[in-house]
Amino acid sequence: QTRERRQVIYEIVNYPEPILRAKGRPVGEITPEIRTLVEDMLETMRAHHGVGLAAQQIGKDIQLAVVDVTGCEHRESKMWGDGQPVDPEAYMPLVLINPELKLTKNKVRDVEGCLSFPGLHTDISRAARVKATVGTLDGGSFTFEAAGLLGRAVQHETDHLHGRLFIDLLTDAERRDLRNQIERIKMGLPATDESDDEDL
Ligand code: ZN
């Protein structure tokens, strides 16, 4: 028995709301409520033009996130299943339930933003490649490797699930340089004054 239902689009929780620092509880059984929440999170992510969204960003401290890099042609994503390259778009959207990551030691630096930090985009160093094992909505598990934008998104969302934010990865000097922008976000303003914004 199916019931027509409109998806709920949540408001995004912005920095410095304390829930963004909450460590998520592991998701247990995949209940209908979890499935509904996943649908709503996907709808919320799309409504805000994000490529990833973690439960903390809609005010819930559980280890559940969604990612979708479909259509991000200007930023390459790579994915492997059983060590063989696969087409990332065939696996989108990706639901990350209780993700466990293994990160390579070598890092890559690339620009990163976060829906909870409106208007802030800055270079962040992250592991070049990640091996992820995640729970799936059918109660099983799924292991894959990812690099490029997808690898970055999986790391960024998994950090959210443990209360970690991308600004934690800045050096002290980088954080000082971004201080004014971060202060604007704390005041509820977008980081960048759009009249001075240069799109590079
Ligand atoms: Zn984020």
Side-chain angles (χ1 to χ4, degrees):
Q1 170 183 340
T2 53
R3 186 159 52 90
E4 283 299 319
R5 175 178 169 276
R6 256 177 197 277
Q7 258 94 61
V8 174
I9 296 176
Y10 285 91
E11 264 189 65
I12 303 288
V13 172
N14 285 344
Y15 182 76
E17 285 294 323
I19 186 75
L20 293 174
R21 288 300 188 187
K23 191 169 163 54
R25 289 171 288 113
V27 173
E29 197 190 339
I30 305 302
T31 58
E33 288 72 25
I34 291 290
R35 289 170 190 279
T36 300
L37 183 59
V38 167
E39 283 176 36
D40 291 343
M41 285 175 67
L42 286 167
E43 199 69 11
T44 300
M45 175 179 72
R46 288 174 184 136
H48 293 89
H49 309 290
V51 298
L53 182 72
Q56 277 75 354
Q57 294 178 282
I58 57 162
K60 298 182 190 295
D61 54 349
I62 57 173
Q63 291 186 34
L64 174 64
V66 292
V67 169
D68 194 343
V69 296
T70 305
C72 296
E73 273 123 22
H74 57 297
R75 293 187 69 184
E76 193 186 19
S77 286
K78 288 186 179 171
M79 190 171 178
W80 296 263
D82 293 325
Q84 299 300 311
V86 295
D87 176 10
E89 297 212 355
Y91 291 85
M92 298 299 127
L94 208 48
V95 180
L96 309 178
I97 299 171
N98 309 329
E100 288 184 18
L101 306 188
K102 278 188 194 152
L103 308 178
T104 56
K105 284 219 169 64
N106 56 317
K107 299 202 169 184
V108 283
R109 208 170 156 75
D110 205 350
V111 70
E112 202 168 306
C114 177
L115 289 175
S116 296
F117 289 78
L120 181 64
H121 296 93
T122 189
D123 279 356
I124 298 284
S125 288
R126 288 200 186 265
R129 182 161 161 164
V130 56
K131 184 173 190 176
T133 298
V134 302
T136 58
L137 284 175
D138 60 11
S141 75
F142 175 49
T143 298
F144 63 96
E145 289 172 83
L149 178 61
L150 179 59
R152 184 166 290 276
V154 167
Q155 293 175 66
H156 181 115
E157 299 316 325
T158 301
D159 276 351
H160 270 303
L161 302 184
H162 296 276
R164 298 189 293 259
L165 300 171
F166 76 145
I167 57 168
D168 302 344
L169 298 173
L170 298 170
T171 64
D172 289 344
E174 288 168 340
R175 198 173 293 112
R176 261 197 308 279
D177 287 346
L178 293 171
R179 200 181 60 189
N180 289 345
Q181 295 191 54
I182 292 170
E183 281 306 313
R184 283 179 61 88
I185 291 169
K186 283 184 179 173
M187 291 188 291
L189 301 166
T192 312
D193 184 346
E194 282 187 62
S195 58
D196 292 324
D197 193 18
E198 292 184 53
D199 259 335
L200 297 173

